[in-house]
Amino acid sequence: MSDGKSDRVDQVNNVGEKCDEIQVKPADKLSFALGILSLIVGEYLALRHPHLFPKLYTLVITLLIAKRYPEFAAEKCQLFMLDFCYFMNLSTVIQINFYPTSLLWFKANYVLCTGSLLVAMVVWQNSLVLHSMEKMTSLFLHALAPLTLHLLRWGVIPCEAIQSDDFLSPVELLITPFLMYSVWQVVYLVIIELVLAGKIRKDPELVFSLRYLATDKNNGMHQLVTSIMRTLGVMGREEVFNPETAKTKIIFIVAQLVYTLITLLPVPLLYSSYEFSVVYISAIFGWTVWRGGMHYYEDFKERYQVEFQMKKVPEKKE
C-alpha cells in the first residue's frame, strides 16, 4: 500500500507527463518565427515591390518542398509529392519565372489553381498554425500559387501580357486546363502503376494518395465517395475499397476529375471580377485563420487545464 507522499509524487508525475507532451519544441519556435516573417515580407513585397513577389513565392515553395521530401521519405509517404498540388506549383513556378508572357499557360495555371487548389484548402482542412511547419507547408502549397496568380491577373504584379479587360474563352477555361490535368494524371499513373508498381506491392507501408484515401475510413473524401458509390449501386452495401483493385482505382480517378471540374465553377467570375475574386480568396484564407485560431484555443485550454491540475494536486500527510 502506498503512503500519502508517494501518492502525491504519482500525481505530480502524471501531470508532469502531460506538460512534457505539450512542450514547445525549438522547431516549433522556428516555424512560428518564419511563418510570421514570411507573412510580413510577403505583404511588404506585394504592396511596395510587387515585381519581387513571384521570386519570394518561388523561394518559399522550393525550400518547403525540399525540406518536406526527406521528412516524408522517412515516414514512407514521399509519393504524396506526386499529387496534383505539387504539379501545379511546379507548373506555376516555371511559367511565371521563365515564360511570363505565355498567356495560355498562365490562364491554365490560373483556372486550376484558383479552382482546385483553393477549394482543397477547405476540403483538406488547412489551417494557419504558425508553430507547425507541417501545417504551414500544406497551407502554402495550396495558397501561394493562387495568390500569386491573382496578383498577376489584376495587375498588382505587372505583366504586359495580361490585360485588365481580358476574359476566359471556353477553350481557356476547359480544354487547356483539362489537357494539363490529363498530363499530370497520366504521369502519375505511369509512375504508380508501372515504374514503382513492384515496390508498392512489396511494401504495404508505403503510403500514397490512392492507398490513403481508399483505406482511411475517417477521411471525409473516403466517406463521401463511398456513400455516392453505394447510392448509385456501383458498390454493395457492405463493400469496401481495396486500393489494389482496378475498380477502386478507377473510382478515385473519376472522383478526382469530377471534384476538379466542380471547383472550376466560380473561376470565370473570379477571372472577370476583381471584387468577387478578393472576397472569395479572402473568405477561404479567413477560414484557414479561423481553423488556426481554434487550434490555438484548444491548445491553450489544454495548457490551462494542466496548470490548474498542477495547482490542485493536494498535499497529503505521511
Side-chain angles (χ1 to χ4, degrees):
M1 181 178 296
S2 60
D3 57 19
K5 182 176 180 180
S6 62
D7 287 341
R8 173 169 170 76
V9 169
D10 290 339
Q11 289 178 296
V12 172
N13 287 340
N14 290 336
V15 175
E17 288 175 0
K18 293 182 180 180
C19 290
D20 292 338
E21 291 175 359
I22 59 174
Q23 285 297 315
V24 178
K25 302 175 182 178
D28 297 335
K29 298 177 182 178
L30 178 62
S31 175
F32 187 93
L34 291 177
I36 292 290
L37 183 62
S38 65
L39 295 177
I40 295 173
V41 173
E43 182 178 4
Y44 172 76
L45 291 182
L47 295 176
R48 301 303 298 270
H49 303 284
H51 64 285
L52 294 178
F53 192 89
K55 306 300 181 185
L56 175 66
Y57 159 59
T58 302
L59 176 64
V60 170
I61 211 68
T62 301
L63 291 176
L64 289 177
I65 292 176
K67 180 181 182 300
R68 170 165 279 193
Y69 179 79
E71 295 174 347
F72 272 24
E75 299 176 2
K76 292 190 175 184
C77 55
Q78 66 269 29
L79 295 183
F80 272 119
M81 300 183 76
L82 295 173
D83 284 358
F84 189 59
C85 60
Y86 293 91
F87 175 82
M88 286 312 305
N89 274 281
L90 175 62
S91 175
T92 302
V93 165
I94 293 174
Q95 186 267 313
I96 65 176
N97 285 289
F98 300 104
Y99 304 95
T101 59
S102 177
L103 191 57
L104 189 63
W105 193 353
F106 165 78
K107 288 183 176 181
N109 284 334
Y110 182 93
V111 168
L112 292 170
C113 287
T114 59
S116 179
L117 264 63
L118 271 182
V119 175
M121 296 174 70
V122 177
V123 173
W124 297 109
Q125 301 185 8
N126 289 163
S127 54
L128 184 67
V129 181
L130 291 166
H131 74 275
S132 171
M133 187 67 74
E134 179 182 355
K135 291 183 182 296
M136 291 300 294
T137 300
S138 296
L139 178 66
F140 283 163
L141 276 169
H142 293 107
L144 287 184
L147 177 60
T148 303
L149 295 170
H150 165 80
L151 296 177
L152 281 163
R153 166 65 188 100
W154 296 108
V156 178
I157 300 173
C159 180
E160 60 183 18
I162 305 171
Q163 304 300 317
S164 60
D165 59 350
D166 196 11
F167 62 93
L168 292 171
S169 69
V171 171
E172 294 166 337
L173 175 63
L174 295 173
I175 305 302
T176 310
F178 177 75
L179 290 175
M180 181 180 291
Y181 177 89
S182 299
V183 169
W184 164 77
Q185 186 68 86
V186 169
V187 171
Y188 183 90
L189 290 175
V190 167
I191 294 175
I192 296 296
E193 297 298 323
L194 296 177
V195 178
L196 299 178
K199 182 178 181 180
I200 290 172
R201 283 195 298 268
K202 293 177 182 178
D203 189 354
E205 294 183 357
L206 193 61
V207 184
F208 54 97
S209 290
L210 178 59
R211 182 173 280 177
Y212 169 75
L213 289 173
T215 56
D216 184 10
K217 295 183 179 180
N218 294 321
N219 181 271
M221 184 65 73
H222 175 104
Q223 295 171 351
L224 176 62
V225 174
T226 300
S227 176
I228 293 174
M229 292 301 101
R230 288 175 177 171
T231 300
L232 296 176
V234 177
M235 294 175 60
R237 300 305 302 175
E238 302 299 326
E239 185 178 358
V240 296
F241 290 118
N242 181 349
E244 307 304 323
T245 64
K247 180 178 179 178
T248 293
K249 294 173 183 178
I250 292 172
I251 287 174
F252 278 101
I253 289 171
V254 173
Q256 170 85 14
L257 176 59
V258 171
Y259 157 81
T260 301
L261 292 175
I262 291 174
T263 62
L264 302 187
L265 293 176
V267 172
L269 189 54
L270 290 171
Y271 196 84
S272 61
S273 171
Y274 172 76
E275 290 77 11
F276 179 73
S277 182
V278 169
V279 171
Y280 183 81
I281 294 175
S282 297
I284 292 179
F285 285 8
W287 186 85
T288 67
V289 174
W290 169 262
R291 279 191 52 81
M294 293 303 297
H295 174 91
Y296 282 112
Y297 168 78
E298 294 297 331
D299 181 68
F300 292 153
K301 183 173 71 172
E302 183 177 354
R303 292 174 185 273
Y304 292 149
Q305 288 174 343
V306 171
E307 182 179 353
F308 180 76
Q309 290 174 13
M310 290 285 288
K311 292 180 179 179
K312 295 293 290 183
V313 173
E315 287 283 358
K316 290 188 177 181
K317 296 180 180 181
E318 299 184 16

